[in-house]
Amino acid sequence: MSRKHPLELYRNIGIIAHIDAGKTTTTERILFYTGKTHRIGSVDDGTTVTDWMAQERERGITIVSAAVSAEWNGYQINIIDTPGHIDFTAEVQRSLRVLDGGIVVFDAVQGVEPQSETVWRQADRYNVPRICFVNKMDRVGASYERTIETIRDRLGANPIAMQLPIGSEVSFKGVVNLIEMQAVIWDDSLGLDRHVVPVPEELSITAAKMREQLVEQIADLDDDLTIKFLDGSLISNDELKMALRKGVINGKITPVFCGTSLRNKCVQPLLDAVVDYLPSPMDIPPVVATNPRNNEEIIREAHDDAPMSALVFKIVTDPYVGRLAYIRVYSGKLVQGSTVYNSAKEQRERIGRLLRMYADRREDITEIYAGDIGAVLGLKGSFTGDTLCDPSNQVILEDITFPEPVISVSIEPKTVADQDKMNEALRKLSEEDPTFRVKTDKETGQTLISGMGELHLEVLVDRMLREYHVQARVGKPQVSYRESITRPVEKAEYRYVKQTGGRGHYGHVVLELEPGEPGSGILFSNRIVGGVIPSGYIPAVEKGVREAAEGGVISGFPVTDVNIVLYDGSFHEVDSNEMAFKMAASMAFKEGVQKAMPVLQEPIMKVEVTVPEEYLGDVIGQLNSRRGEIQGMEPRPGNAQMVRSFVPMAEMFGYATDLRSATQGRGVFSMEFDHYARVADNVAREILNYY
C-alpha cells in the first residue's frame, strides 16, 4: 500500500471552543460538504457522527474527542472534534498535543467565553496555529466585529477579519471575501449551492476599507510586502495568501471567518481556509525527541523513510474489538504485523490491526505514514503519552501533562457480585482517562474516584452502569484539598537508626524547606557536596520526600508547593541502604512541614455567570454567600450582565439548581479550576473536624 496523498496535502486539525459554540454542528457540516455523510446530523436529535456515545446524545454535549477523516479539493483532512466542557479538558489537551492546526469556534453573541480562553492557552502551550470561526451569525445580538474585539482584548491575539457579513441576525445570507473582493451568497437550505456575485453596492465602501486594513495587516508580516505597501505598489492575491499562511504558521496572526453552521452557511470557505492557511506536517518544525540512553536531543523529520516514531495520545476500550490506542505517527511508517518498542515502558509491542477511525466506526488499513493519525489494536502495555518507536532507533517524545483531579466521591458496589466487575470497569476507565483516578482509603477501606468535576464523575458512573453493567452507590462529593507551608525551615533533620540481628539500617538527612510558587508542586534539589551522602542514595531521599508529601501532616491531604533542598547528612559504610535513607527523608520532611506552620488549601474555581440585569443583585448575593470574590462585571447583549468571580470548589456543589431558582431558569454559568488558595482558619477547623 502506498501513501494516498503527498504529505504536503495533509491537514491534522482540531475543532476547539467553549461548550455550545457549535463545534459538533460545524464538524457535521464539514463531513456533509466533503461527501463523508449523505445527510446532516443534528445535536438536538442525537444523530451526529462525532457525538456517538449514548451520554453525549442524551446531554447534547461532546464528552470524548472523536477523530474523523475527510477529503476537500484533493487534501486529506484529519479532524478531531473536542469537548467544550471544562470537566473534559484532558480530551482537548491530548488532542492539541498531536495536532498541527486548529479551528477555534466562537459564539457570535457571547464572543470569548471562559473555556474559549482555556483552549486558547492550551493551543498556545503546544504552539498550534489556528484560524477562528465566528459561528451563529444568524442569532439575535450576533456581532462579528465585537467578537473580533474580544479575541484581541481577552486572548491577546492578533485577529484579522477575512470576511464582511452580508446581512445580520436572521437576515444573514452570506459574506464578502475580502481578499478576492467577491460576495458569496447561500440560497438553498442545505447550503450546497453558493453563488459568487459582485460585492453589494451598499457594502462596497465598508468592504474597501476592510480590505485596505487587511492588506496593511498582512504586509506587516513580510518585509518585501511592507516595502510594496509603502510604495503604493499592487500586492497580488497570491502574495497576500502566501504571506498570511506564513504568518499563521508562525503564530503571528489569526484569520477570522464567520457564518452559521446550523443554517448551513459559510462552512465551505472555512474548509478552503483550512487548506490555504493551516500547516501540513511538513510546515511545522520537526519533532524533538530524546535518546533514552543518554538524554541527547534527536530531531525526527516528517518523512516516510525516517526511523519510525509515534505518540499514543488516547486509549479507548471498544466493546466489540477491545483496547484501541489512538496514535500520531511523527516519522517513518507504522506497518501492520511489525514489532515496535515502547520506550516509556521499555518493552516491545506487536502491532495487530491498524485502523482509520471514523468516530465509532473504523476502516482496516495496513500502514500509517508520517504525519497521519490512526488507531492500533493489540497493544498490551502502552498508554496515553507513551512513545512507540523503531527498536533499533529508540527515542522518547514529549509526554502529555494533565491537570490534577479536584473532586472525589466514594463508590461501592451494590452487591458482592458487582465487586469484581466494578474493579475491572474502574481499571479500564482510568486507562482511558488520565484525569480519572481510583484509590482505596487506607483508613476506611472505601474506594474513592477522583475527577475534574461533578459532570465528569457522573458520566463515568453512568458509563459503568451502561457499558460494564455495574450497579454502584456513589457517596457525597469530596473536594481534593491540599496542604502547604507558610514559612521556611532552615533545618529539618532526621537520623534513622535501626539495629537488627545482622546488618543494621542507617540513614541521616538534613533538609531545608521553603514555600514554593503556587502550582509548582514538590520541587526537590540536591546540594550535597563532598560526598557526605553517596549519590546512589539521593534518588531514595527524593522518593521518601515525595511519598511523605502524598500523605500530608494535618489531615492526610497531599502537600504541595514546597521547595525542598537536601544539603547535609551522613552515612554508614556497612549499615546504610536505600530504604534507610528513604525513611530518614520521609520523617525529616514531615517534621519540617510541622515546623513550617502548615495550612490547608482548597481549589478555587473561576466562575462566570451570565444573567438578565434584574437578577444581578440576587446572583451577586448568592456568590458572596458561597465565599466568592467578585472580580468584575461585563455587559452582555440582551440587557444581561456577566459576573466574573473566584469561588471555592466546596461551595459550588448544587449551585446550578440555586441559580436556576433565583433567575427563573434564565441564568447560565461556567466554571473551571484556577488555583489553590489558603482556607480561612474557621473553615479549616470545620473541614478537619469533618474528615
Side-chain angles (χ1 to χ4, degrees):
M1 174 183 168
S2 59
R3 182 191 282 277
K4 186 176 179 183
H5 298 278
L7 191 54
E8 59 270 20
L9 300 186
Y10 274 77
R11 299 289 184 271
N12 294 314
I13 63 165
I15 300 188
I16 56 178
H18 184 89
I19 190 170
D20 204 30
K23 296 179 301 300
T24 302
T25 303
T26 302
T27 306
E28 196 66 27
R29 270 60 183 176
I30 289 174
L31 295 176
F32 179 69
Y33 296 130
T34 55
K36 293 297 286 189
T37 57
H38 302 291
R39 65 177 181 81
I40 298 175
S42 164
V43 172
D44 294 333
D45 297 340
T47 55
T48 59
V49 171
T50 52
D51 282 355
W52 54 270
M53 286 174 62
Q55 292 87 347
E56 293 178 313
R57 291 181 170 175
E58 288 171 5
R59 289 174 167 82
I61 62 171
T62 302
I63 292 171
V64 295
S65 54
V68 291
S69 297
E71 287 187 33
W72 182 253
N73 293 344
Y75 286 76
Q76 168 83 25
I77 304 177
N78 295 323
I79 306 166
I80 297 184
D81 177 26
T82 65
H85 199 287
I86 186 64
D87 282 17
F88 310 107
T89 189
E91 291 288 328
V92 184
Q93 194 118 328
R94 59 179 162 197
S95 299
L96 286 172
R97 169 65 180 81
V98 299
L99 292 170
D100 301 327
I103 301 173
V104 189
V105 183
F106 296 94
D107 184 323
V109 178
Q110 301 298 335
V112 174
E113 298 176 88
Q115 186 67 356
S116 310
E117 292 189 55
T118 303
V119 298
W120 192 272
R121 305 295 173 224
Q122 288 173 323
D124 281 343
R125 178 180 176 185
Y126 292 115
N127 298 315
V128 177
R130 67 216 82 144
I131 59 177
C132 297
F133 181 58
V134 180
N135 191 25
K136 304 189 179 183
M137 287 296 296
D138 59 314
R139 284 186 61 197
V140 175
S143 172
Y144 182 52
E145 296 79 12
R146 186 181 62 243
T147 302
I148 291 176
E149 280 304 310
T150 60
I151 292 170
R152 180 178 291 109
D153 297 341
R154 296 189 64 176
L155 301 179
N158 181 21
I160 179 171
M162 301 296 294
Q163 297 169 332
L164 170 64
I166 300 175
S168 62
E169 300 177 349
V170 292
S171 62
F172 176 79
K173 59 182 180 180
V175 292
V176 174
N177 180 332
L178 293 175
I179 285 190
E180 307 288 348
M181 282 303 277
Q182 295 173 328
V184 189
I185 306 291
W186 281 262
D187 293 327
D188 65 318
S189 60
L190 288 178
L192 288 168
D193 296 325
R194 47 176 172 162
H195 305 293
V196 178
V197 297
V199 177
E201 193 175 333
E202 66 274 14
L203 293 176
S204 58
I205 296 174
T206 305
K209 285 181 180 177
M210 289 182 69
R211 189 180 195 280
E212 189 177 341
Q213 188 178 354
L214 174 141
V215 171
E216 185 176 353
Q217 273 187 274
I218 296 176
D220 279 344
L221 303 171
D222 185 281
D223 292 341
D224 293 337
L225 293 190
T226 302
I227 294 169
K228 267 193 167 186
F229 180 76
L230 294 175
D231 288 346
S233 303
L234 182 67
I235 301 174
S236 70
N237 292 347
D238 287 342
E239 287 177 310
L240 289 173
K241 285 185 176 182
M242 195 178 301
L244 182 56
R245 175 180 175 80
K246 188 177 175 183
V248 172
I249 292 171
N250 292 335
K252 293 180 179 178
I253 199 164
T254 309
V256 185
F257 300 83
C258 65
T260 166
S261 297
L262 187 64
R263 304 294 172 217
N264 308 318
K265 291 180 173 68
C266 306
V267 176
Q268 294 97 329
L270 185 65
L271 278 166
D272 292 335
V274 167
V275 166
D276 289 341
Y277 305 120
L278 288 180
S280 75
M282 295 183 71
D283 295 317
I284 59 172
V287 68
V288 179
T290 306
N291 186 325
R293 293 194 177 91
N294 54 22
N295 290 327
E296 285 183 1
E297 284 193 355
I298 298 174
I299 301 297
R300 281 282 185 262
E301 300 276 354
H303 292 305
D304 296 342
D305 53 0
M308 200 283 294
S309 64
L311 184 74
V312 178
F313 69 93
K314 182 179 169 72
I315 296 291
V316 175
T317 303
D318 190 290
Y320 302 107
V321 297
R323 200 157 156 276
L324 271 172
Y326 283 71
I327 62 160
R328 160 74 189 260
V329 177
Y330 282 96
S331 61
K333 58 184 178 182
L334 193 61
V335 181
Q336 183 176 326
S338 63
T339 298
V340 297
Y341 187 74
N342 182 331
S343 52
K345 298 290 191 302
E346 297 184 353
Q347 63 185 44
R348 289 176 178 263
E349 290 269 25
R350 182 167 173 76
I351 302 299
R353 289 168 62 191
L354 292 178
L355 305 168
R356 183 171 299 287
M357 297 304 298
Y358 187 60
D360 60 331
R361 302 197 291 277
R362 58 198 73 81
E363 168 196 343
D364 278 284
I365 53 179
T366 57
E367 293 173 321
I368 303 176
Y369 294 90
D372 208 351
I373 290 172
V376 184
L377 265 176
L379 298 182
K380 293 186 168 28
S382 299
F383 297 95
T384 300
D386 286 355
T387 299
L388 302 179
C389 60
D390 184 336
S392 58
N393 289 276
Q394 296 175 17
V395 292
I396 293 181
L397 298 170
E398 181 192 351
D399 197 357
I400 310 172
T401 55
F402 295 101
E404 289 294 314
V406 295
I407 182 174
S408 302
V409 298
S410 61
I411 187 168
E412 59 182 30
K414 286 188 176 179
T415 66
V416 176
D418 283 319
Q419 180 70 57
D420 289 341
K421 285 198 293 183
M422 186 185 86
N423 292 340
E424 179 67 8
L426 291 175
R427 182 184 67 79
K428 289 181 176 177
L429 290 172
S430 61
E431 284 179 0
E432 288 185 25
D433 188 346
T435 58
F436 176 60
R437 309 281 173 82
V438 183
K439 68 176 183 179
T440 302
D441 189 303
K442 293 178 182 176
E443 294 181 8
T444 64
Q446 283 183 310
T447 300
L448 300 177
I449 57 175
S450 306
M452 299 306 297
E454 288 180 279
L455 179 61
H456 186 201
L457 295 181
E458 183 186 319
V459 166
L460 288 166
V461 171
D462 190 33
R463 286 187 62 192
M464 284 175 56
L465 175 63
R466 295 192 195 207
E467 296 174 28
Y468 301 100
H469 311 293
V470 177
Q471 300 283 344
R473 282 189 288 266
V474 178
K476 186 181 175 184
Q478 297 177 337
V479 177
S480 293
Y481 292 99
R482 297 284 187 269
E483 298 175 17
S484 194
I485 61 175
T486 54
R487 70 179 186 191
V489 172
E490 292 182 0
K491 188 176 182 180
E493 182 176 11
Y494 195 87
R495 196 184 305 267
Y496 181 78
V497 183
K498 188 174 182 182
Q499 287 301 129
T500 57
R503 286 177 60 176
H505 297 278
Y506 181 90
H508 172 216
V509 300
V510 186
L511 305 176
E512 179 185 318
L513 281 67
E514 64 177 13
E517 291 293 320
S520 61
I522 298 292
L523 296 179
F524 177 86
S525 56
N526 170 32
R527 290 191 198 153
I528 291 292
V529 292
V532 292
I533 297 178
S535 59
Y537 295 136
I538 304 301
V541 174
E542 181 174 359
K543 189 175 181 184
V545 165
R546 293 191 181 279
E547 286 187 5
E550 285 295 313
V553 297
I554 302 176
S555 190
F557 298 112
V559 179
T560 189
D561 300 343
V562 181
N563 297 336
I564 302 117
V565 178
L566 170 66
Y567 69 92
D568 202 1
S570 62
F571 73 103
H572 189 278
E573 290 285 356
V574 177
D575 291 347
S576 286
N577 54 47
E578 290 185 358
M579 194 276 283
F581 274 99
K582 180 179 163 186
M583 291 296 296
S586 174
M587 301 304 291
F589 176 78
K590 287 185 176 180
E591 287 189 9
V593 171
Q594 286 171 341
K595 291 178 187 175
M597 294 186 66
V599 293
L600 205 59
Q601 292 187 326
E602 62 183 343
I604 303 296
M605 312 303 287
K606 184 168 126 185
V607 180
E608 296 195 355
V609 189
T610 304
V611 292
E613 189 90 49
E614 60 263 36
Y615 301 113
L616 186 60
D618 293 338
V619 166
I620 290 175
Q622 275 187 344
L623 293 171
N624 286 331
S625 70
R626 291 171 180 265
R627 296 194 284 128
E629 291 181 15
I630 307 299
Q631 300 297 305
M633 288 176 282
E634 288 179 18
R636 281 286 185 262
N639 197 32
Q641 289 281 343
M642 190 266 285
V643 183
R644 296 196 313 275
S645 62
F646 288 129
V647 188
M649 172 88 181
E651 303 291 343
M652 289 303 294
F653 297 130
Y655 180 65
T657 304
D658 290 351
L659 179 64
R660 280 196 293 268
S661 301
T663 62
Q664 297 183 5
R666 295 169 66 191
V668 295
F669 81 101
S670 63
M671 71 173 183
E672 59 179 300
F673 170 75
D674 193 86
H675 64 281
Y676 273 91
R678 180 176 176 176
V679 181
D681 292 342
N682 60 323
V683 179
R685 281 193 292 273
E686 291 179 21
I687 294 168
L688 295 175
N689 288 335
Y690 176 80
Y691 286 102

